[in-house]
Amino acid sequence: MNPSPSSTTSLTVATPAAPRSGGRFARLPLLAGPGFIPLGLFARLPLAMLTVGALTLVTAVTGSYAVGGAAAGAVGIGSALGAPVLGILADRLGQRPVLLFFAVFNTVAVTALILAAYLVPGTQELSAAVPVLAAAFVAGGSCPQVGPLARVRWMAMSSSGSGQQGDLDTALSYESTADELTFVMGPALVGILASLVSSWLPLALAAALTLTLVPAFAVHPTHRAVPRTPALSGTAAAAARQRRKALPASQRAAGVFAVGLPVLAMVCMGTFFGSTQTSLSSFAAGFASSELAGLLYAVMGLSSAAAALSVAYWPGRFSIPARWLACAALMAGLAALLLLPSTAPPMILVLLVLGVPVGPLMVTVFAIGGLVAPEGKLGTVMTALASGLVAGTAVGSSIAGQLAQTVGYSAAFLVPVCAASALFLLGAAAAVVLRRSTGPAASA
């Protein structure tokens, strides 16, 4: 697997030798240098805490689930819109200055959200809660995208002279596992702190982590692996436009389509996640309480994280398009089993098995994003993938919530089945695109 041309550069951070023991994952700290893995893991935790933290705080202060849900939605919309902007800036200016700026800006935004929730009067009504919702939107939009930018660094490091075959698979396997773990730990940490201390504490902790860990991640020597792509001069930009116009329309469309496929796949993946979580809330409310849904959902997250690690050991002859098709087909088939259980024990078993293809499919889609990313726009594509995941989660939650309210949880569980089926169809299209060439993407 080769990353996009934009990620190819020499890295002076570390020159790893093959470890005597520990397997492929033992190479990662040697490749990235000391401290990068724990920094990359915990620096992304605030993003995992932000949505649930906003929901918890605003609901507790206002006493309104509608306002709390709207605040959480504003965080999600802000994150979906802000992530690609941050990626574009990181490609143009470099990761270090962009992350340093957004670490401070986001800390201020989250602090403003906490203050607005307590100080703005009459926020029990949505019309009066506009300042709170605006603060939530800005907090989501300015949250540093550590996970996608860490993947960009791994792609650059694995393609450098010190990288070895299989390093990128190993790194992306780890990254997907880190995402799964943080998005299980984040909501759990919010629940523990809010219930034991106060509803403002989770967001305050998220702000503190952002202000301390994100700058440390930003200045870690691995940022040197990723070259900047400065804006073109007027003459160069005009020449680039002329080259694009000279390409056949079919080739230009193929480039756009190649980049759009993994983004659409992440929208479908987010739809799967959001609809599954919402459907589980309705399912759990039928025999216990909706709060049980978080624990049920964590079961799938844990098996998904474990399965993602296994991708590092998959044989090279198992091609990326074949991985996508196989995982999506298995995911669609297993998702249909969600319709069968009526109590928690069998549902736990279904979720445990269902998580197995989810993690590897996430690894595969991010890998394809790296393959088709136009030169100099790897950060943009990686953050766009994360943005698609957030947007899809909101879509899936909304659709499944409507179905659960009007028809029941069985109908809501059809949404993740459809999302997984759509992933299979997109995988078939991706197989065709990758079989041709990734060249058109570079010209898009």
Side-chain angles (χ1 to χ4, degrees):
M1 177 185 316
N2 296 315
S4 81
S6 65
S7 63
T8 304
T9 187
S10 62
L11 177 64
T12 59
V13 177
T15 306
R20 294 180 182 274
S21 62
R24 295 186 178 184
F25 287 97
R27 276 191 50 79
L28 296 185
L30 298 176
L31 185 64
F36 181 70
I37 289 179
L39 273 177
L41 175 64
F42 292 106
R44 76 188 73 193
L45 190 58
L47 179 60
M49 299 172 65
L50 194 54
T51 301
V52 180
L55 171 66
T56 302
L57 171 66
V58 176
T59 300
V61 172
T62 65
S64 170
Y65 287 104
V67 177
V75 170
I77 294 171
S79 180
L81 296 177
V85 175
L86 191 147
I88 292 170
L89 292 174
D91 283 336
R92 289 286 178 88
L93 305 176
Q95 288 192 14
R96 182 173 62 175
V98 172
L99 285 170
L100 288 174
F101 171 80
F102 277 98
V104 176
F105 186 84
N106 183 253
T107 300
V108 174
V110 173
T111 303
L113 172 57
I114 297 172
L115 294 175
Y118 282 103
L119 299 179
V120 175
T123 50
Q124 288 80 8
E125 300 294 331
L126 278 175
S127 58
V130 171
V132 176
L133 301 182
F137 176 83
V138 174
S142 61
C143 197
Q145 299 292 319
V146 172
L149 295 183
R151 286 181 170 91
V152 173
R153 295 189 190 187
W154 285 119
M155 289 176 179
M157 290 185 289
S158 64
S159 66
S160 69
S162 56
Q164 293 184 3
Q165 185 176 10
D167 282 345
L168 184 57
D169 273 343
T170 305
L172 293 182
S173 298
Y174 160 74
E175 285 295 320
S176 291
T177 300
D179 282 343
E180 294 282 4
L181 291 177
T182 53
F183 278 96
V184 169
M185 289 191 299
L189 190 57
V190 169
I192 292 171
L193 293 176
S195 60
L196 295 181
V197 185
S198 177
S199 57
W200 59 265
L201 184 58
L203 286 182
L205 177 61
L209 291 174
T210 297
L211 190 59
T212 54
L213 296 182
V214 173
F217 175 84
V219 301
H220 190 276
T222 51
H223 78 87
R224 301 190 194 115
V226 185
R228 290 187 301 152
T229 308
L232 297 175
S233 64
T235 304
R241 285 193 296 269
Q242 285 299 116
R243 287 195 299 270
R244 284 195 293 269
K245 288 180 181 179
L247 293 173
S250 59
Q251 191 173 356
R252 293 198 300 271
V256 175
F257 188 59
V259 175
L261 272 174
V263 175
L264 285 175
M266 293 306 282
V267 173
C268 291
M269 186 69 75
T271 302
F272 175 86
F273 289 146
S275 59
T276 301
Q277 192 167 24
T278 303
S279 302
L280 285 173
S281 295
S282 177
F283 168 81
F287 60 86
S289 66
S290 58
E291 286 77 9
L292 182 63
L295 296 176
L296 292 173
Y297 187 73
V299 171
M300 187 177 74
L302 292 174
S303 62
S304 173
L309 289 176
S310 73
V311 176
Y313 300 97
W314 290 11
R317 61 180 178 274
F318 191 14
S319 68
I320 295 178
R323 293 181 193 179
W324 186 333
L325 288 171
C327 291
L330 184 58
M331 190 171 158
L334 293 175
L337 298 178
L338 291 169
L339 300 168
L340 301 180
S342 57
T343 58
M347 180 59 78
I348 290 173
L349 180 60
V350 169
L351 291 169
L352 189 66
V353 176
L354 178 57
V356 171
V358 172
L361 184 53
M362 288 275 286
V363 175
T364 301
V365 174
F366 272 110
I368 288 181
L371 281 170
V372 302
E375 184 175 358
K377 296 182 179 179
L378 188 55
T380 304
V381 172
M382 289 295 110
T383 50
L385 293 177
S387 177
L389 186 65
V390 173
T393 300
V395 170
S397 297
S398 176
I399 296 174
Q402 290 293 328
L403 289 174
Q405 182 69 31
T406 57
V407 185
Y409 68 79
S410 294
F413 276 131
L414 291 174
V415 181
V417 176
C418 293
S421 301
L423 279 166
F424 178 79
L425 296 177
L426 289 172
V432 174
V433 170
L434 291 177
R435 193 161 42 235
R436 293 177 178 176
S437 173
T438 58
S443 62

